[in-house]
Amino acid sequence: MYFYGGIGSGINMRNAVVIGMFPDIELDKFHYIGNSSLTGAYCMTLSDAAEEKVHELSHNMTYMELSTEPGYMDEFVAACFLPHTDTSLFPSVKQEEI
C-alpha cells in the first residue's frame, strides 16, 4: 500500500492499523512515497509525453455522484468511526486484545 504527502512521513503504521485508518495487512507492505504531486508537476513541465498523458487522463475522467448510490451513505458513515467498529476486518488487532 502506497501513501503520499507530508502526513505520511509521521504516521505510525501499527497505530494507524489499530484505529482502523489503514487496512490490517503486513506492515512491510506500507510504503511512503513522499510528495508525489510535486514530482508529477515537475515531470509534466519537463516532458511533452507526460503532459500529453495528463491531458489524455483528464479527458477520460467521469464524475459520479456517490451520495445518490444506494447504501453509500451508510458505508461512508460506518467508515468514519475511529477506532474501527468492525473488528472482523482487523484480525491482528483483535488478537492483541486477547
Side-chain angles (χ1 to χ4, degrees):
M1 173 179 216
Y2 297 101
F3 57 102
Y4 315 87
I7 192 172
S9 64
I11 291 178
N12 177 305
M13 288 301 139
R14 184 69 201 141
N15 290 343
V17 170
V18 167
I19 66 170
M21 183 176 178
F22 290 138
D24 192 1
I25 61 175
E26 296 173 27
L27 295 180
D28 63 354
K29 303 260 187 212
F30 292 102
H31 303 283
Y32 175 63
I33 301 301
N35 190 341
S36 59
S37 61
L38 187 57
T39 302
Y42 283 136
C43 288
M44 190 174 154
T45 61
L46 299 174
S47 165
D48 290 336
E51 183 179 3
E52 289 173 18
K53 185 65 173 177
V54 168
H55 289 293
E56 175 190 335
L57 289 170
S58 70
H59 291 293
N60 290 324
M61 289 183 183
T62 302
Y63 176 79
M64 181 176 171
E65 181 58 51
L66 291 175
S67 64
T68 62
E69 292 294 313
Y72 171 77
M73 288 307 290
D74 292 335
E75 292 291 329
F76 176 78
V77 171
C80 289
F81 289 101
L82 292 178
H84 50 78
T85 56
D86 185 355
T87 56
S88 69
L89 297 173
F90 300 87
S92 72
V93 174
K94 194 171 184 177
Q95 286 175 350
E96 287 180 13
E97 294 174 356
I98 297 174

